[in-house]
Amino acid sequence: EFQGGGGCWDSVTCSIAGSIFTEDVEDIRAGAGLYQQGIYDHANPENPFAGWTHVYVPYCTGDVHWGDTEVEYQFGATTTTIHHKGAINAMAAESWIAEHFTGPEQVFVTGSSGGAYAAVTHSVRLQELFPDAQFDVVGDGGNGVVTQDFLVNHLSTWGIERHLPEEVPELN
């Protein structure tokens, strides 16, 4: 599961989404109760994922888990560097998964909001790791509304071209 969160690509959007880069560990722990419900409630016999291993990929890079660059943004008089390294983090998680799991029969890849985009693109690499597994992918809440201006002038800010899966030519 790829954690969701806002994306940012310029000084305006990165200043608005700034809280995803500074979330305190205690805030994360305080919300942990949410991760004992729904698909996380392994004691619930009606949960179709009860007994499954759950790998959670956190998010703090402002690039929907796609980036591989660092960018300096000007916030008023302050310059801040945002480490758009979501692809690198996701690939580290994928490497960890490859080292710790062998031959799963089923794999379910999901994410919400920014994690929805990651679920779609990173599921390609996971399928390559486990070619014999049944795969299901659900990108929940990725709104899909992308302007031409964003595609032409801002998407490259994240450095995504290094890691887009070639197996999905539509991403080009």
Side-chain angles (χ1 to χ4, degrees):
E1 175 182 0
F2 291 90
Q3 180 183 10
C8 75
W9 51 89
D10 59 21
S11 61
V12 173
T13 56
C14 287
S15 67
I16 293 169
S19 65
I20 68 169
F21 311 116
T22 60
E23 191 170 25
D24 187 271
V25 171
E26 292 306 316
D27 292 340
I28 294 168
R29 287 185 183 135
L34 296 173
Y35 296 104
Q36 297 172 5
Q37 304 173 30
I39 66 172
Y40 309 102
D41 184 0
H42 289 266
N44 181 353
E46 294 182 18
N47 177 2
F49 298 101
W52 285 47
T53 299
H54 191 121
V55 177
Y56 185 78
V57 182
Y59 175 68
C60 64
T61 58
D63 58 16
V64 301
H65 301 268
W66 285 0
D68 184 7
T69 194
E70 296 175 5
V71 179
E72 288 186 352
Y73 295 101
Q74 190 72 32
F75 302 105
T78 304
T79 299
T80 301
T81 300
I82 302 293
H83 301 272
H84 294 296
K85 295 288 188 174
I88 303 305
N89 294 344
M91 288 187 296
E94 293 158 10
S95 293
W96 184 90
I97 290 167
E99 291 172 14
H100 290 86
F101 300 97
T102 57
E105 293 177 18
Q106 291 181 283
V107 176
F108 180 74
V109 184
T110 191
S112 180
S113 184
Y117 297 101
V120 172
T121 56
H122 290 286
S123 68
V124 173
R125 290 184 188 90
L126 292 167
Q127 287 178 36
E128 291 170 352
L129 291 174
F130 306 115
D132 297 327
Q134 174 189 326
F135 262 80
D136 293 294
V137 180
V138 174
D140 180 25
N143 64 7
V145 177
V146 179
T147 66
Q148 191 64 27
D149 176 64
F150 174 79
L151 290 173
V152 172
N153 298 312
H154 301 292
L155 185 58
S156 63
T157 301
W158 296 336
I160 68 169
E161 57 282 342
R162 293 180 197 105
H163 303 291
L164 285 176
E166 294 176 12
E167 299 86 338
V168 185
E170 291 81 2
L171 292 174
N172 291 329

